[in-house]
Amino acid sequence: ADRDRYYFGADTMFERHPDIMKRLGQDAPELLPTLLDGLIWRSRTTEEGMRRVNYYVKHLIVNGEGTFAQSIEWMVNRADPKIICHPCLALVVDIVWSRVAFRVFLWGKIWLVFTLIIFLAATAIFDKDTTSEFERAVVMGCRVFTYFFSMCPRIYANVRQLCINLKTKDTVNVNGIPVPRYLMRSQEVVCILLAMDLVLMLVFEPVLTCLGSHEGDFEGAGLFTQSCEAGKDVRFTYSKLSIIGIFLYFLSTIDLSVFSTRVSAFVLVCFRIMGEVALYLFAMVFVILAFSCGIAALDQDNPDFSSIPMNALTLMKVSLMLFDTQNYTAIQDYPSLLITVVLYTIVAVTFLLNVLIAQLNCAYSCVYEDMVGYARLNRGKIVVECMRALAKPRWERFVDGLGLEEPCEFSEGDIGMAGAIQAPIVE
């Protein structure tokens, strides 16, 4: 056979149609598996329980200009959890991830984890009313570090990306409103929210508020104190911003789950069934509001049901099983109130909770089949982002190490074509 023209003349096809993966994905997605299957050669014989498999994926890794091909990006943008699990695409994503993208991603996340630790030291670890000048200096140093090396880079990155998207008109219409495309990624939204939260924390910084009045006759007086009268006035707001910031920092680290496909799949499944939990919470709010208003119309003097807000709080305690069982004795003095509470318990605790469980089971069953595919999509998305920041010399060393220009054996002594990666499989 003329092996130079084998596999549909793969080299000629990709040179003539470098965007064939994109076109098929848009116009004939059912042909994508056929194309990718044709890029795989499997030996008919086995050697010591191993079968030779050649994946001719050169053009899925390197384009005609010698840079990272866009095939993976096109497949990730399709968001098809089945096609991304094809052996060809899975091999490409895993090789690029393990050999180059992993390090780029890891260094970025190491810095994120480091800034998270500094932020925790600045807001949650040390006592706010400490009298130790050393601890106050450490807290202030950590906060200055956070404002300069976490807040400022985030503001710069978001403003820069916003200007680029607006300049190139790279926007997405959401209910008729143009929104920069980069804000369609959840991690970017978390990043901009964290930047806004840090700005507000700087505005309400109690240490800065007390700089002019750190000396005085009060406990904790001294440089970098937070215990002056003006500082105490803003500490309540600052503490609320701090807990929001901590949650946003931890949300930013969720991408670390990409290191394990199994963990990444679990995280994605959790996010995909959050819609069912949101529906349950909406139904609970509706039921609590309805019963709270109804109980307020009853002729009863129970202190736990004295007003609509108090009724809602008590019913919430009943749902969470935090309502003191001894208080049920007092409810028995008002039969109409007792019947209403029992009815609420049946609707909210028995009915709605079991509906939630059934919905979660169904949603999980639907998502479970494709959860590995969604995890691979997530990894592919991160690979694409990391490759944009990869230095050219490092990329060239990676490509040279793959040996794509060297002929790949079909069997021992039978030299085949170049452009393949051999990955034997166990039979």
Side-chain angles (χ1 to χ4, degrees):
D2 186 0
R3 289 176 175 174
D4 292 336
R5 297 179 180 276
Y6 200 42
Y7 298 110
F8 311 100
D11 291 339
T12 304
M13 180 180 64
F14 279 99
E15 289 170 3
R16 187 174 182 86
H17 303 287
D19 60 344
I20 189 171
M21 297 285 290
K22 181 180 180 181
R23 289 191 176 187
L24 289 181
Q26 292 175 343
D27 302 330
E30 62 276 3
L31 295 180
L32 279 173
T34 303
L35 171 64
L36 295 173
D37 288 342
L39 299 178
I40 302 175
W41 175 86
R42 294 181 176 87
S43 175
R44 292 177 296 176
T45 61
T46 61
E47 300 176 8
E48 299 180 356
M50 304 288 290
R51 185 184 300 275
R52 290 175 182 261
V53 180
N54 294 351
Y55 297 88
Y56 288 86
V57 293
K58 172 185 175 181
H59 298 284
L60 302 183
I61 299 177
V62 189
N63 59 22
E65 299 175 356
T67 58
F68 184 55
Q70 291 182 281
S71 300
I72 298 301
E73 182 177 357
W74 293 329
M75 295 300 100
V76 168
N77 291 338
R78 290 194 69 248
D80 185 348
K82 297 187 183 300
I83 193 63
I84 200 66
C85 289
H86 190 279
C88 279
L89 297 179
L91 178 70
V92 171
V93 171
D94 288 345
I95 286 181
V96 177
W97 164 255
S98 61
R99 297 193 184 183
V100 285
F102 171 81
R103 296 180 182 178
V104 177
F105 178 76
L106 181 61
W107 279 114
K109 290 304 177 181
I110 285 177
W111 175 254
L112 175 62
V113 173
F114 178 71
T115 56
L116 169 59
I117 294 173
I118 296 296
F119 185 74
L120 292 176
T123 57
I125 295 178
F126 294 100
D127 184 10
K128 310 296 186 300
D129 297 314
T130 180
T131 57
S132 170
E133 293 186 1
F134 173 75
E135 290 186 5
R136 290 203 299 263
V138 170
V139 169
M140 187 58 188
C142 291
R143 292 185 180 182
V144 170
F145 179 91
T146 298
Y147 296 137
F148 275 98
F149 298 103
S150 184
M151 180 187 73
C152 292
R154 292 177 188 279
I155 294 174
Y156 171 78
N158 279 282
V159 172
R160 178 176 177 275
Q161 191 63 46
L162 178 64
C163 293
I164 291 175
N165 280 184
L166 294 179
K167 184 177 180 179
T168 59
K169 296 183 180 180
D170 188 12
T171 59
V172 178
N173 285 327
V174 179
N175 296 326
I177 302 175
V179 177
R181 185 177 297 276
Y182 87 101
L183 291 179
M184 294 295 101
R185 298 191 293 269
S186 58
Q187 287 297 313
E188 297 296 341
V189 175
V190 172
C191 181
I192 195 171
L193 291 176
L194 180 56
M196 295 169 60
D197 183 76
L198 292 175
V199 170
L200 292 175
M201 289 181 66
L202 178 60
V203 172
F204 291 97
E205 175 58 61
V207 176
L208 296 180
T209 305
C210 292
L211 277 181
S213 55
H214 62 274
E215 299 292 345
D217 187 17
F218 58 88
E219 185 179 0
L223 188 61
F224 303 138
T225 183
Q226 307 178 53
S227 302
C228 67
E229 290 299 324
K232 290 181 177 180
D233 293 338
V234 298
R235 271 171 54 176
F236 177 80
T237 303
Y238 186 85
S239 65
K240 302 303 177 289
L241 294 172
S242 296
I243 190 173
I244 294 174
I246 289 174
F247 288 154
L248 291 174
Y249 260 111
F250 275 95
L251 281 175
S252 299
T253 63
I254 286 182
D255 273 352
L256 291 172
S257 63
V258 76
F259 291 128
S260 169
T261 303
R262 186 173 182 180
V263 175
S264 180
F266 173 76
V267 172
L268 293 172
V269 167
C270 289
F271 277 104
R272 287 187 174 272
I273 63 177
M274 287 299 292
E276 308 300 330
V277 178
L279 290 174
Y280 167 76
L281 293 177
F282 175 79
M284 282 295 297
V285 169
F286 177 81
V287 171
I288 289 175
L289 180 61
F291 276 86
S292 298
C293 295
I295 291 174
L298 293 177
D299 184 16
Q300 51 86 23
D301 298 322
N302 190 293
D304 292 322
F305 298 92
S306 57
S307 63
I308 293 179
M310 192 66 184
N311 296 346
L313 179 61
T314 303
L315 292 177
M316 191 178 301
K317 290 181 180 179
V318 171
S319 301
L320 299 175
M321 299 181 183
L322 298 176
F323 191 62
D324 193 346
T325 55
Q326 295 180 353
N327 294 337
Y328 284 105
T329 304
I331 297 178
Q332 295 178 7
D333 297 335
Y334 306 96
S336 57
L337 176 61
L338 178 61
I339 293 173
T340 305
V341 172
V342 170
L343 182 60
Y344 166 80
T345 304
I346 294 173
V347 173
V349 178
T350 305
F351 177 71
L352 286 182
L353 188 59
N354 282 280
V355 168
L356 172 64
I357 294 172
Q359 285 182 308
L360 292 179
N361 281 330
C362 293
Y364 184 82
S365 299
C366 294
V367 177
Y368 179 80
E369 298 178 359
D370 297 324
M371 69 175 185
V372 175
Y374 286 118
R376 288 197 170 275
L377 281 173
N378 188 41
R379 176 174 286 187
K381 185 185 303 182
I382 292 175
V383 164
V384 171
E385 293 174 356
C386 291
M387 296 310 294
R388 293 170 182 164
L390 187 68
K392 185 176 180 180
R394 189 172 176 183
W395 165 252
E396 291 175 348
R397 288 196 302 270
F398 163 70
V399 174
D400 292 339
L402 293 177
L404 295 175
E405 301 301 328
E406 300 175 3
C408 191
E409 286 186 338
F410 282 142
S411 59
E412 187 174 357
D414 185 7
I415 305 300
M417 301 179 301
I421 296 176
Q422 190 170 95
I425 60 174
V426 179
E427 288 295 322

